[in-house]
PDB file of all heavy atoms in Angstrom:
ATOM      1  N   ILE A  21      81.308  33.449  80.810  1.00  0.00           N
ATOM      2  CA  ILE A  21      80.725  33.982  79.534  1.00  0.00           C
ATOM      3  C   ILE A  21      79.224  33.801  79.448  1.00  0.00           C
ATOM      4  O   ILE A  21      78.790  32.686  79.558  1.00  0.00           O
ATOM      5  CB  ILE A  21      81.356  33.223  78.323  1.00  0.00           C
ATOM      6  CG1 ILE A  21      82.948  33.404  78.336  1.00  0.00           C
ATOM      7  CG2 ILE A  21      80.777  33.636  76.892  1.00  0.00           C
ATOM      8  CD1 ILE A  21      83.668  32.777  77.427  1.00  0.00           C
ATOM      9  N   LYS A  22      78.445  34.810  79.432  1.00  0.00           N
ATOM     10  CA  LYS A  22      76.989  34.876  79.277  1.00  0.00           C
ATOM     11  C   LYS A  22      76.608  34.717  77.780  1.00  0.00           C
ATOM     12  O   LYS A  22      76.817  35.692  77.094  1.00  0.00           O
ATOM     13  CB  LYS A  22      76.516  36.070  79.947  1.00  0.00           C
ATOM     14  CG  LYS A  22      74.928  36.322  79.616  1.00  0.00           C
ATOM     15  CD  LYS A  22      73.973  35.332  80.359  1.00  0.00           C
ATOM     16  CE  LYS A  22      72.605  35.818  80.355  1.00  0.00           C
ATOM     17  NZ  LYS A  22      71.878  35.628  79.182  1.00  0.00           N
ATOM     18  N   ARG A  23      76.116  33.738  77.326  1.00  0.00           N
ATOM     19  CA  ARG A  23      75.570  33.541  76.104  1.00  0.00           C
ATOM     20  C   ARG A  23      73.926  33.432  76.162  1.00  0.00           C
ATOM     21  O   ARG A  23      73.517  33.133  77.088  1.00  0.00           O
ATOM     22  CB  ARG A  23      75.989  32.192  75.446  1.00  0.00           C
ATOM     23  CG  ARG A  23      77.497  32.031  75.289  1.00  0.00           C
ATOM     24  CD  ARG A  23      77.841  30.682  74.677  1.00  0.00           C
ATOM     25  NE  ARG A  23      79.327  30.523  74.596  1.00  0.00           N
ATOM     26  CZ  ARG A  23      80.185  31.017  73.604  1.00  0.00           C
ATOM     27  NH1 ARG A  23      79.507  31.739  72.667  1.00  0.00           N
ATOM     28  NH2 ARG A  23      81.469  30.839  73.614  1.00  0.00           N
ATOM     29  N   GLY A  24      73.384  33.952  75.110  1.00  0.00           N
ATOM     30  CA  GLY A  24      72.004  34.083  74.932  1.00  0.00           C
ATOM     31  C   GLY A  24      71.514  32.770  74.269  1.00  0.00           C
ATOM     32  O   GLY A  24      72.329  31.863  73.760  1.00  0.00           O
ATOM     33  N   SER A  25      70.168  32.678  73.996  1.00  0.00           N
ATOM     34  CA  SER A  25      69.539  31.534  73.282  1.00  0.00           C
ATOM     35  C   SER A  25      70.002  31.299  71.895  1.00  0.00           C
ATOM     36  O   SER A  25      69.935  30.280  71.348  1.00  0.00           O
ATOM     37  CB  SER A  25      68.041  31.631  73.445  1.00  0.00           C
ATOM     38  OG  SER A  25      67.661  32.790  72.854  1.00  0.00           O
ATOM     39  N   THR A  26      70.564  32.402  71.221  1.00  0.00           N
ATOM     40  CA  THR A  26      71.040  32.220  69.911  1.00  0.00           C
ATOM     41  C   THR A  26      72.479  31.966  69.805  1.00  0.00           C
ATOM     42  O   THR A  26      73.160  32.093  68.770  1.00  0.00           O
ATOM     43  CB  THR A  26      70.699  33.503  69.150  1.00  0.00           C
ATOM     44  OG1 THR A  26      71.312  34.599  69.749  1.00  0.00           O
ATOM     45  CG2 THR A  26      69.184  33.813  68.981  1.00  0.00           C
ATOM     46  N   GLU A  27      73.075  31.777  70.992  1.00  0.00           N
ATOM     47  CA  GLU A  27      74.464  31.367  71.221  1.00  0.00           C
ATOM     48  C   GLU A  27      75.452  32.447  71.035  1.00  0.00           C
ATOM     49  O   GLU A  27      76.679  32.270  71.074  1.00  0.00           O
ATOM     50  CB  GLU A  27      74.871  30.175  70.316  1.00  0.00           C
ATOM     51  CG  GLU A  27      74.110  28.888  70.594  1.00  0.00           C
ATOM     52  CD  GLU A  27      74.436  27.775  69.806  1.00  0.00           C
ATOM     53  OE1 GLU A  27      75.500  27.815  69.070  1.00  0.00           O
ATOM     54  OE2 GLU A  27      73.635  26.765  69.774  1.00  0.00           O
ATOM     55  N   ASN A  28      74.950  33.683  70.825  1.00  0.00           N
ATOM     56  CA  ASN A  28      75.972  34.866  70.838  1.00  0.00           C
ATOM     57  C   ASN A  28      76.211  35.195  72.180  1.00  0.00           C
ATOM     58  O   ASN A  28      75.479  35.153  73.171  1.00  0.00           O
ATOM     59  CB  ASN A  28      75.151  36.125  70.139  1.00  0.00           C
ATOM     60  CG  ASN A  28      74.752  35.844  68.733  1.00  0.00           C
ATOM     61  OD1 ASN A  28      75.659  35.126  67.942  1.00  0.00           O
ATOM     62  ND2 ASN A  28      73.706  36.310  68.290  1.00  0.00           N
ATOM     63  N   VAL A  29      77.532  35.753  72.459  1.00  0.00           N
ATOM     64  CA  VAL A  29      77.917  36.187  73.669  1.00  0.00           C
ATOM     65  C   VAL A  29      77.218  37.450  74.088  1.00  0.00           C
ATOM     66  O   VAL A  29      77.202  38.439  73.220  1.00  0.00           O
ATOM     67  CB  VAL A  29      79.457  36.350  73.536  1.00  0.00           C
ATOM     68  CG1 VAL A  29      79.934  37.016  75.020  1.00  0.00           C
ATOM     69  CG2 VAL A  29      80.170  35.043  73.363  1.00  0.00           C
ATOM     70  N   ASP A  30      76.676  37.589  75.264  1.00  0.00           N
ATOM     71  CA  ASP A  30      75.990  38.679  75.713  1.00  0.00           C
ATOM     72  C   ASP A  30      76.824  39.604  76.406  1.00  0.00           C
ATOM     73  O   ASP A  30      77.002  40.790  76.275  1.00  0.00           O
ATOM     74  CB  ASP A  30      74.636  38.227  76.590  1.00  0.00           C
ATOM     75  CG  ASP A  30      73.861  39.419  77.061  1.00  0.00           C
ATOM     76  OD1 ASP A  30      73.894  40.612  76.453  1.00  0.00           O
ATOM     77  OD2 ASP A  30      73.021  39.323  78.035  1.00  0.00           O
ATOM     78  N   PHE A  31      77.618  38.933  77.376  1.00  0.00           N
ATOM     79  CA  PHE A  31      78.628  39.687  78.170  1.00  0.00           C
ATOM     80  C   PHE A  31      79.579  38.738  78.816  1.00  0.00           C
ATOM     81  O   PHE A  31      79.286  37.465  78.962  1.00  0.00           O
ATOM     82  CB  PHE A  31      78.085  40.760  79.121  1.00  0.00           C
ATOM     83  CG  PHE A  31      77.193  40.124  80.198  1.00  0.00           C
ATOM     84  CD1 PHE A  31      77.714  39.730  81.337  1.00  0.00           C
ATOM     85  CD2 PHE A  31      75.831  40.144  79.948  1.00  0.00           C
ATOM     86  CE1 PHE A  31      76.979  39.192  82.385  1.00  0.00           C
ATOM     87  CE2 PHE A  31      75.011  39.554  81.086  1.00  0.00           C
ATOM     88  CZ  PHE A  31      75.582  39.103  82.225  1.00  0.00           C
ATOM     89  N   VAL A  32      80.657  39.213  79.312  1.00  0.00           N
ATOM     90  CA  VAL A  32      81.616  38.430  80.015  1.00  0.00           C
ATOM     91  C   VAL A  32      81.523  38.911  81.438  1.00  0.00           C
ATOM     92  O   VAL A  32      81.732  40.066  81.643  1.00  0.00           O
ATOM     93  CB  VAL A  32      83.086  38.634  79.470  1.00  0.00           C
ATOM     94  CG1 VAL A  32      84.072  37.767  80.401  1.00  0.00           C
ATOM     95  CG2 VAL A  32      83.143  38.081  78.144  1.00  0.00           C
ATOM     96  N   SER A  33      81.215  38.159  82.375  1.00  0.00           N
ATOM     97  CA  SER A  33      80.918  38.527  83.717  1.00  0.00           C
ATOM     98  C   SER A  33      82.272  38.540  84.527  1.00  0.00           C
ATOM     99  O   SER A  33      83.064  37.725  84.300  1.00  0.00           O
ATOM    100  CB  SER A  33      80.042  37.497  84.347  1.00  0.00           C
ATOM    101  OG  SER A  33      79.850  37.691  85.742  1.00  0.00           O
ATOM    102  N   PRO A  34      82.356  39.445  85.498  1.00  0.00           N
ATOM    103  CA  PRO A  34      83.432  39.424  86.426  1.00  0.00           C
ATOM    104  C   PRO A  34      83.462  38.208  87.485  1.00  0.00           C
ATOM    105  O   PRO A  34      84.464  37.993  88.107  1.00  0.00           O
ATOM    106  CB  PRO A  34      83.354  40.719  87.088  1.00  0.00           C
ATOM    107  CG  PRO A  34      82.074  41.231  87.111  1.00  0.00           C
ATOM    108  CD  PRO A  34      81.451  40.616  85.734  1.00  0.00           C
ATOM    109  N   LEU A  35      82.211  37.768  87.573  1.00  0.00           N
ATOM    110  CA  LEU A  35      81.963  36.653  88.455  1.00  0.00           C
ATOM    111  C   LEU A  35      81.493  35.408  87.769  1.00  0.00           C
ATOM    112  O   LEU A  35      80.735  35.537  86.858  1.00  0.00           O
ATOM    113  CB  LEU A  35      80.963  37.004  89.681  1.00  0.00           C
ATOM    114  CG  LEU A  35      81.146  38.297  90.291  1.00  0.00           C
ATOM    115  CD1 LEU A  35      80.029  38.772  91.285  1.00  0.00           C
ATOM    116  CD2 LEU A  35      82.357  38.131  91.270  1.00  0.00           C
ATOM    117  N   PRO A  36      81.804  34.164  88.320  1.00  0.00           N
ATOM    118  CA  PRO A  36      81.346  32.869  87.654  1.00  0.00           C
ATOM    119  C   PRO A  36      79.905  32.740  88.021  1.00  0.00           C
ATOM    120  O   PRO A  36      79.468  33.073  89.034  1.00  0.00           O
ATOM    121  CB  PRO A  36      82.269  31.925  88.221  1.00  0.00           C
ATOM    122  CG  PRO A  36      82.679  32.472  89.648  1.00  0.00           C
ATOM    123  CD  PRO A  36      82.811  33.952  89.404  1.00  0.00           C
ATOM    124  N   CYS A  37      79.251  32.177  86.961  1.00  0.00           N
ATOM    125  CA  CYS A  37      77.869  31.765  87.165  1.00  0.00           C
ATOM    126  C   CYS A  37      77.835  30.723  88.130  1.00  0.00           C
ATOM    127  O   CYS A  37      78.387  29.758  88.062  1.00  0.00           O
ATOM    128  CB  CYS A  37      77.254  31.315  85.861  1.00  0.00           C
ATOM    129  SG  CYS A  37      75.352  31.129  85.920  1.00  0.00           S
ATOM    130  N   PRO A  38      76.948  30.815  89.252  1.00  0.00           N
ATOM    131  CA  PRO A  38      76.759  29.781  90.271  1.00  0.00           C
ATOM    132  C   PRO A  38      75.909  28.524  89.920  1.00  0.00           C
ATOM    133  O   PRO A  38      75.830  27.602  90.763  1.00  0.00           O
ATOM    134  CB  PRO A  38      76.181  30.534  91.577  1.00  0.00           C
ATOM    135  CG  PRO A  38      75.414  31.629  90.887  1.00  0.00           C
ATOM    136  CD  PRO A  38      76.098  31.931  89.675  1.00  0.00           C
ATOM    137  N   PHE A  39      75.245  28.652  88.871  1.00  0.00           N
ATOM    138  CA  PHE A  39      74.395  27.665  88.411  1.00  0.00           C
ATOM    139  C   PHE A  39      74.561  27.249  86.959  1.00  0.00           C
ATOM    140  O   PHE A  39      75.238  28.009  86.213  1.00  0.00           O
ATOM    141  CB  PHE A  39      72.772  28.068  88.534  1.00  0.00           C
ATOM    142  CG  PHE A  39      72.524  28.774  89.691  1.00  0.00           C
ATOM    143  CD1 PHE A  39      72.315  30.264  89.673  1.00  0.00           C
ATOM    144  CD2 PHE A  39      72.347  28.201  90.805  1.00  0.00           C
ATOM    145  CE1 PHE A  39      71.951  30.840  90.838  1.00  0.00           C
ATOM    146  CE2 PHE A  39      71.866  28.796  92.053  1.00  0.00           C
ATOM    147  CZ  PHE A  39      71.604  30.167  91.979  1.00  0.00           C
ATOM    148  N   ASN A  40      73.972  26.153  86.648  1.00  0.00           N
ATOM    149  CA  ASN A  40      74.016  25.749  85.168  1.00  0.00           C
ATOM    150  C   ASN A  40      72.708  26.661  84.612  1.00  0.00           C
ATOM    151  O   ASN A  40      71.648  26.513  85.260  1.00  0.00           O
ATOM    152  CB  ASN A  40      73.639  24.311  85.013  1.00  0.00           C
ATOM    153  CG  ASN A  40      74.877  23.381  85.420  1.00  0.00           C
ATOM    154  OD1 ASN A  40      75.899  23.589  84.756  1.00  0.00           O
ATOM    155  ND2 ASN A  40      74.661  22.737  86.414  1.00  0.00           N
ATOM    156  N   TYR A  41      72.945  27.469  83.625  1.00  0.00           N
ATOM    157  CA  TYR A  41      71.918  28.403  83.179  1.00  0.00           C
ATOM    158  C   TYR A  41      71.586  28.207  81.717  1.00  0.00           C
ATOM    159  O   TYR A  41      72.501  27.942  80.942  1.00  0.00           O
ATOM    160  CB  TYR A  41      72.431  29.794  83.385  1.00  0.00           C
ATOM    161  CG  TYR A  41      71.490  31.098  83.307  1.00  0.00           C
ATOM    162  CD1 TYR A  41      70.887  31.491  84.325  1.00  0.00           C
ATOM    163  CD2 TYR A  41      71.015  31.452  82.024  1.00  0.00           C
ATOM    164  CE1 TYR A  41      69.979  32.567  84.285  1.00  0.00           C
ATOM    165  CE2 TYR A  41      70.188  32.575  81.878  1.00  0.00           C
ATOM    166  CZ  TYR A  41      69.762  33.104  83.097  1.00  0.00           C
ATOM    167  OH  TYR A  41      68.723  34.174  82.902  1.00  0.00           O
ATOM    168  N   GLY A  42      70.315  27.980  81.462  1.00  0.00           N
ATOM    169  CA  GLY A  42      69.911  27.829  80.168  1.00  0.00           C
ATOM    170  C   GLY A  42      68.545  28.153  79.836  1.00  0.00           C
ATOM    171  O   GLY A  42      67.982  29.126  80.379  1.00  0.00           O
ATOM    172  N   SER A  43      67.956  27.439  78.904  1.00  0.00           N
ATOM    173  CA  SER A  43      66.582  27.829  78.446  1.00  0.00           C
ATOM    174  C   SER A  43      65.752  26.553  78.106  1.00  0.00           C
ATOM    175  O   SER A  43      66.314  25.474  77.835  1.00  0.00           O
ATOM    176  CB  SER A  43      66.550  28.739  77.222  1.00  0.00           C
ATOM    177  OG  SER A  43      67.148  28.205  76.259  1.00  0.00           O
ATOM    178  N   VAL A  44      64.474  26.690  78.017  1.00  0.00           N
ATOM    179  CA  VAL A  44      63.530  25.600  77.580  1.00  0.00           C
ATOM    180  C   VAL A  44      63.264  25.927  76.048  1.00  0.00           C
ATOM    181  O   VAL A  44      62.545  26.895  75.775  1.00  0.00           O
ATOM    182  CB  VAL A  44      62.212  25.798  78.411  1.00  0.00           C
ATOM    183  CG1 VAL A  44      61.219  24.636  78.093  1.00  0.00           C
ATOM    184  CG2 VAL A  44      62.486  25.703  79.834  1.00  0.00           C
ATOM    185  N   PRO A  45      63.788  25.058  75.329  1.00  0.00           N
ATOM    186  CA  PRO A  45      63.639  25.257  73.773  1.00  0.00           C
ATOM    187  C   PRO A  45      62.234  25.298  73.449  1.00  0.00           C
ATOM    188  O   PRO A  45      61.889  25.847  72.207  1.00  0.00           O
ATOM    189  CB  PRO A  45      64.439  24.187  73.150  1.00  0.00           C
ATOM    190  CG  PRO A  45      65.410  23.762  74.248  1.00  0.00           C
ATOM    191  CD  PRO A  45      64.654  23.935  75.512  1.00  0.00           C
ATOM    192  N   ALA A  46      61.245  24.716  74.157  1.00  0.00           N
ATOM    193  CA  ALA A  46      59.757  24.623  73.696  1.00  0.00           C
ATOM    194  C   ALA A  46      59.097  25.825  74.038  1.00  0.00           C
ATOM    195  O   ALA A  46      57.926  25.944  73.485  1.00  0.00           O
ATOM    196  CB  ALA A  46      59.201  23.427  74.356  1.00  0.00           C
ATOM    197  N   TYR A  47      59.553  26.806  74.723  1.00  0.00           N
ATOM    198  CA  TYR A  47      58.796  28.061  75.227  1.00  0.00           C
ATOM    199  C   TYR A  47      59.448  29.367  74.898  1.00  0.00           C
ATOM    200  O   TYR A  47      60.703  29.329  75.163  1.00  0.00           O
ATOM    201  CB  TYR A  47      58.363  27.897  76.630  1.00  0.00           C
ATOM    202  CG  TYR A  47      57.278  26.762  76.947  1.00  0.00           C
ATOM    203  CD1 TYR A  47      57.839  25.557  77.500  1.00  0.00           C
ATOM    204  CD2 TYR A  47      55.972  27.012  76.752  1.00  0.00           C
ATOM    205  CE1 TYR A  47      56.791  24.563  77.704  1.00  0.00           C
ATOM    206  CE2 TYR A  47      55.096  25.889  76.920  1.00  0.00           C
ATOM    207  CZ  TYR A  47      55.546  24.712  77.437  1.00  0.00           C
ATOM    208  OH  TYR A  47      54.724  23.746  77.754  1.00  0.00           O
ATOM    209  N   VAL A  48      58.774  30.403  74.524  1.00  0.00           N
ATOM    210  CA  VAL A  48      59.186  31.781  74.525  1.00  0.00           C
ATOM    211  C   VAL A  48      58.611  32.486  75.608  1.00  0.00           C
ATOM    212  O   VAL A  48      57.371  32.500  75.994  1.00  0.00           O
ATOM    213  CB  VAL A  48      58.838  32.396  73.094  1.00  0.00           C
ATOM    214  CG1 VAL A  48      59.283  33.789  73.131  1.00  0.00           C
ATOM    215  CG2 VAL A  48      59.461  31.482  71.968  1.00  0.00           C
ATOM    216  N   GLY A  49      59.380  33.141  76.423  1.00  0.00           N
ATOM    217  CA  GLY A  49      58.955  33.861  77.671  1.00  0.00           C
ATOM    218  C   GLY A  49      58.309  35.190  77.264  1.00  0.00           C
ATOM    219  O   GLY A  49      58.370  35.648  76.151  1.00  0.00           O
ATOM    220  N   LEU A  50      57.923  35.911  78.261  1.00  0.00           N
ATOM    221  CA  LEU A  50      57.320  37.205  78.100  1.00  0.00           C
ATOM    222  C   LEU A  50      58.282  38.326  77.568  1.00  0.00           C
ATOM    223  O   LEU A  50      57.757  39.340  76.900  1.00  0.00           O
ATOM    224  CB  LEU A  50      56.822  37.858  79.473  1.00  0.00           C
ATOM    225  CG  LEU A  50      55.408  37.047  79.988  1.00  0.00           C
ATOM    226  CD1 LEU A  50      55.277  37.480  81.489  1.00  0.00           C
ATOM    227  CD2 LEU A  50      54.322  37.197  78.942  1.00  0.00           C
ATOM    228  N   ASP A  51      59.525  38.091  77.611  1.00  0.00           N
ATOM    229  CA  ASP A  51      60.390  39.123  77.043  1.00  0.00           C
ATOM    230  C   ASP A  51      60.822  38.818  75.586  1.00  0.00           C
ATOM    231  O   ASP A  51      61.628  39.419  75.021  1.00  0.00           O
ATOM    232  CB  ASP A  51      61.812  39.040  77.858  1.00  0.00           C
ATOM    233  CG  ASP A  51      62.515  37.700  77.754  1.00  0.00           C
ATOM    234  OD1 ASP A  51      61.999  36.725  77.352  1.00  0.00           O
ATOM    235  OD2 ASP A  51      63.787  37.769  78.350  1.00  0.00           O
ATOM    236  N   GLY A  52      60.116  37.734  74.932  1.00  0.00           N
ATOM    237  CA  GLY A  52      60.464  37.435  73.591  1.00  0.00           C
ATOM    238  C   GLY A  52      61.539  36.353  73.360  1.00  0.00           C
ATOM    239  O   GLY A  52      61.821  36.178  72.208  1.00  0.00           O
ATOM    240  N   ASP A  53      62.266  36.135  74.408  1.00  0.00           N
ATOM    241  CA  ASP A  53      63.374  35.143  74.388  1.00  0.00           C
ATOM    242  C   ASP A  53      62.890  33.815  74.822  1.00  0.00           C
ATOM    243  O   ASP A  53      61.852  33.660  75.492  1.00  0.00           O
ATOM    244  CB  ASP A  53      64.610  35.726  75.132  1.00  0.00           C
ATOM    245  CG  ASP A  53      65.965  35.097  74.623  1.00  0.00           C
ATOM    246  OD1 ASP A  53      65.897  34.162  73.746  1.00  0.00           O
ATOM    247  OD2 ASP A  53      66.897  35.389  75.341  1.00  0.00           O
ATOM    248  N   LEU A  54      63.737  32.747  74.700  1.00  0.00           N
ATOM    249  CA  LEU A  54      63.318  31.499  75.244  1.00  0.00           C
ATOM    250  C   LEU A  54      63.181  31.643  76.796  1.00  0.00           C
ATOM    251  O   LEU A  54      63.974  32.394  77.331  1.00  0.00           O
ATOM    252  CB  LEU A  54      64.364  30.334  74.857  1.00  0.00           C
ATOM    253  CG  LEU A  54      64.475  30.109  73.408  1.00  0.00           C
ATOM    254  CD1 LEU A  54      65.584  28.977  73.172  1.00  0.00           C
ATOM    255  CD2 LEU A  54      63.187  29.625  72.800  1.00  0.00           C
ATOM    256  N   LEU A  55      62.345  30.801  77.289  1.00  0.00           N
ATOM    257  CA  LEU A  55      62.092  30.790  78.695  1.00  0.00           C
ATOM    258  C   LEU A  55      63.351  30.290  79.347  1.00  0.00           C
ATOM    259  O   LEU A  55      63.947  29.224  79.133  1.00  0.00           O
ATOM    260  CB  LEU A  55      60.866  29.796  78.993  1.00  0.00           C
ATOM    261  CG  LEU A  55      60.502  29.773  80.556  1.00  0.00           C
ATOM    262  CD1 LEU A  55      60.068  31.150  81.015  1.00  0.00           C
ATOM    263  CD2 LEU A  55      59.342  28.732  80.650  1.00  0.00           C
ATOM    264  N   ASP A  56      63.830  31.105  80.413  1.00  0.00           N
ATOM    265  CA  ASP A  56      65.068  30.825  80.951  1.00  0.00           C
ATOM    266  C   ASP A  56      64.877  29.721  82.037  1.00  0.00           C
ATOM    267  O   ASP A  56      63.827  29.615  82.685  1.00  0.00           O
ATOM    268  CB  ASP A  56      65.678  32.044  81.736  1.00  0.00           C
ATOM    269  CG  ASP A  56      65.998  33.121  80.770  1.00  0.00           C
ATOM    270  OD1 ASP A  56      66.625  32.843  79.723  1.00  0.00           O
ATOM    271  OD2 ASP A  56      65.786  34.305  81.048  1.00  0.00           O
ATOM    272  N   ALA A  57      65.934  29.091  82.412  1.00  0.00           N
ATOM    273  CA  ALA A  57      65.859  28.009  83.447  1.00  0.00           C
ATOM    274  C   ALA A  57      67.277  27.861  83.993  1.00  0.00           C
ATOM    275  O   ALA A  57      68.257  27.992  83.336  1.00  0.00           O
ATOM    276  CB  ALA A  57      65.395  26.633  82.679  1.00  0.00           C
ATOM    277  N   VAL A  58      67.295  27.642  85.281  1.00  0.00           N
ATOM    278  CA  VAL A  58      68.527  27.386  86.074  1.00  0.00           C
ATOM    279  C   VAL A  58      68.264  25.878  86.423  1.00  0.00           C
ATOM    280  O   VAL A  58      67.313  25.431  86.853  1.00  0.00           O
ATOM    281  CB  VAL A  58      68.491  28.230  87.398  1.00  0.00           C
ATOM    282  CG1 VAL A  58      69.542  27.618  88.347  1.00  0.00           C
ATOM    283  CG2 VAL A  58      68.775  29.678  87.056  1.00  0.00           C
TER     284      VAL A  58
END
């Protein structure tokens, strides 16, 4: 399950995520969402 920074489900992947995926709550990236981090 791919969730965004607002905790809404973005999509359900056919493959499991190979990393712990999240964001840096202190920064907003160039796309207007929280800065992503693995």
Side-chain angles (χ1 to χ4, degrees):
I21 299 172
K22 164 75 169 78
R23 295 182 186 277
S25 58
T26 57
E27 300 181 10
N28 293 327
V29 174
D30 186 18
F31 61 87
V32 177
S33 173
L35 302 171
C37 187
F39 313 110
N40 295 293
Y41 194 94
S43 61
V44 183
Y47 290 101
V48 176
L50 292 172
D51 63 349
D53 200 2
L54 296 179
L55 182 58
D56 291 325
V58 164

